[in-house]
Amino acid sequence: MTSPTPATSPATRRKRDTSIDSLAGVLIMVVVFGHAIEPLSGQFAETAAQWVFMFHMPAFVFVSGYVTRYSSKWAPGRTVLKLAFPYVIFTLLHGWIASALTGDPFSVDFLTPSWTLWYLVALAAWRLSAPLLRSTWWVVPALAVAGILLGTVAGLGRELSLERIVCFAPFFAAGLMWNDKWWVKIRTWPMRVAAVAALAAALVWSWMSEQTVIRSIFFMSESYEDIGQYNGEGMLQRTGVLIAGALLTLALLSLSGGSNRMLASVGAATLPVYLLHPLVLYPAHLDDYSIGWPESIMIVALVVFSVVFSYVASRPFVVRLTRPIMDYTFWRDLVRR
């Protein structure tokens, strides 16, 4: 997910902050954890889910934008093929698993991304529009305003994840335009103290508001009417979600900077982790975990699962083993032999 695509010179590419790979490794583990606890509904789980949803996708999208800018060239055809291939394969796999677990007839809808697959569609859209997204800083607030207004369009639905593409696009654009000179400024000790305070405040707020805030406001995938809100209320909440996402993303960037070989290796292979973990978690999303463990034990167990699964799924042997269902170049190279 964080591999490069559009556009700078090799000299510039060598100057990329490699510690971002370790941050990507942490974030993909958080993404897995966020999806793993979705079926839980207790107070601790709701708090953890709400806290994670406040920053994990904004930060992950930012990192995707950041590494995209360090590619050698803009290649629309390759970008589409690279992301469309796993999208088709995993849409079919999601449909097959759902049918096997529920007994319903097999069916898929390629225009409505299944669960986590929206990100492949969004990533393709963002990378294809990268030259425009990085043209001026006004793109970031303009996209944020567009995302807020888009929520007023009732019945837009989830076709091609249009609403999410627009709402999360400001974070991708910010990653594209990030200046590496800013790392020094945001990684000072005062900034890091403020970053810890911001993340702690978000956790406290999540604990205090978990009974009144619905998770779907963080997904930004439906209109305000679809989630039972008036336009004014929805616009205010979405504005808050975007601001919180931006501040907490900056907090995570401030706390980054260290380089850990294990985390960096996970961060270098986020695509297999992202695509494979829903296949494991799909049964729980359809029928809960149903194992009767206390909520606190489940949360600890899912933290361990998220770390271990992310590590295993990012290992070279797993990447090689799953390449035929994730990388179209496997079949292209096979045909050319």
Side-chain angles (χ1 to χ4, degrees), residues 29 32 262 266 273 301-315:
M29 292 177 182
V32 175
M262 187 275 283
V266 176
V273 180
L302 292 175
V303 169
V304 174
F305 162 80
S306 301
V307 173
V308 173
F309 182 90
S310 299
Y311 178 77
V312 172
S314 63
R315 295 309 86 201

Side-chain angles (χ1 to χ4, degrees), residues 196-219:
V196 172
L199 289 165
L203 182 59
V204 171
W205 182 82
S206 297
W207 173 264
M208 295 176 62
S209 63
E210 56 89 17
Q211 292 186 341
T212 57
V213 173
I214 57 175
R215 294 181 184 180
S216 57
I217 68 170
F218 299 104
F219 303 157

Side-chain angles (χ1 to χ4, degrees), residues 139-221:
V139 169
V140 175
L143 286 169
V145 171
I148 293 168
L149 294 176
L150 196 59
T152 64
V153 182
L156 185 64
R158 301 189 180 187
E159 285 75 11
L160 296 178
S161 300
L162 175 61
E163 195 149 350
R164 275 182 160 178
I165 290 173
V166 175
C167 289
F168 284 103
F171 301 102
F172 191 86
L176 281 173
M177 291 184 282
W178 182 264
N179 190 325
D180 284 332
K181 295 179 181 179
W182 298 337
W183 290 123
V184 176
K185 296 180 180 180
I186 69 166
R187 287 171 175 166
T188 63
W189 278 109
M191 288 294 291
R192 287 180 167 175
V193 170
V196 172
L199 289 165
L203 182 59
V204 171
W205 182 82
S206 297
W207 173 264
M208 295 176 62
S209 63
E210 56 89 17
Q211 292 186 341
T212 57
V213 173
I214 57 175
R215 294 181 184 180
S216 57
I217 68 170
F218 299 104
F219 303 157
M220 297 190 288
S221 60

